[in-house]
Amino acid sequence: MCIRDRGSTYSRNGWVVWLTFLIGLLLSVSPLPQFMEILRPLWLALLLAFWALALPHKVGMVTAWCLGLAEDVLYGTLLGQNALILTLITFLVLSLQQRLRMFPMWQQSLVILVIFGLAQLVQLWLSALTGNRQPTLALVLPALVSALLWPWVSFGLRGLRRRFKIN
């Protein structure tokens, strides 16, 4: 019988990743004061971007699609709308993964701003097509807030990954 040691290639503590996604889903629907609602960070997108960078072999576009569908159900939006946006974000992060890992944190934040800004513009376009929301460029503000939060989210999740030895 073959016994694997603790340093084996088996995935360990993958539940922590899913717990962060659950927390991200809860943060994305938690109530905020009306004046702060427009500045709500894209929590699930931030978490997906980090885990796609850290674990590209585990967290990919299928994960993004499933989490997007869960977000669609929670928001009550058109089924597949947020799934498409999160899949687009994950695709762009995975496409730029090798470069993003080499960038300093401020450049990563700028790239995250561009990626999330593009995703928010697609969201604006989809909302205008479905007639759910008046088209306004204020929808890009969450991308800016998320990019400003990226260093803290990244450092926090990196520490969590180190602590739980997530591979």
Side-chain angles (χ1 to χ4, degrees):
M1 178 171 12
C2 180
I3 298 175
R4 298 239 182 211
D5 64 330
R6 286 189 119 355
S8 69
T9 59
Y10 285 131
S11 176
R12 295 192 319 203
N13 295 328
W15 62 271
V16 176
V17 175
W18 287 100
L19 181 64
T20 61
F21 288 146
L22 179 65
I23 292 169
L25 279 169
L26 292 175
L27 284 173
S28 64
V29 296
S30 63
L32 285 177
Q34 186 66 32
F35 70 94
M36 288 181 61
E37 191 65 39
I38 196 165
L39 299 173
R40 179 187 298 270
L42 305 169
W43 290 111
L44 206 52
L46 278 169
L47 295 171
L48 264 169
F50 175 81
W51 290 118
L53 276 175
L55 306 170
H57 56 285
K58 301 277 184 192
V59 176
M61 292 177 22
V62 173
T63 306
W65 183 262
C66 294
L67 288 170
L69 287 178
E71 199 171 38
D72 285 330
V73 170
L74 283 175
Y75 284 157
T77 58
L78 187 65
L79 196 61
Q81 184 173 345
N82 288 313
L84 178 67
I85 299 302
L86 288 177
T87 305
L88 172 69
I89 288 170
T90 306
F91 171 75
L92 292 171
V93 167
L94 288 173
S95 298
L96 299 170
Q97 181 221 6
Q98 295 298 325
R99 291 184 193 135
L100 268 173
R101 287 179 147 202
M102 300 294 288
F103 288 164
M105 193 55 67
W106 69 271
Q107 283 182 334
Q108 284 184 12
S109 293
L110 287 177
V111 172
I112 290 294
L113 173 64
V114 170
I115 291 173
F116 288 5
L118 285 173
Q120 287 296 96
L121 288 175
V122 171
Q123 178 96 10
L124 175 69
W125 178 65
L126 289 173
S127 295
L129 282 179
T130 59
N132 289 340
R133 190 181 290 189
Q134 289 292 336
T136 174
L137 284 178
L139 192 67
V140 181
L141 286 175
L144 179 63
V145 173
S146 299
L148 292 173
L149 286 176
W150 172 254
W152 287 278
V153 170
S154 183
F155 287 136
L157 290 176
R158 192 174 301 142
L160 189 71
R161 182 177 180 211
R162 212 173 285 128
R163 173 159 166 68
F164 284 100
K165 297 179 178 81
I166 300 169
N167 56 5

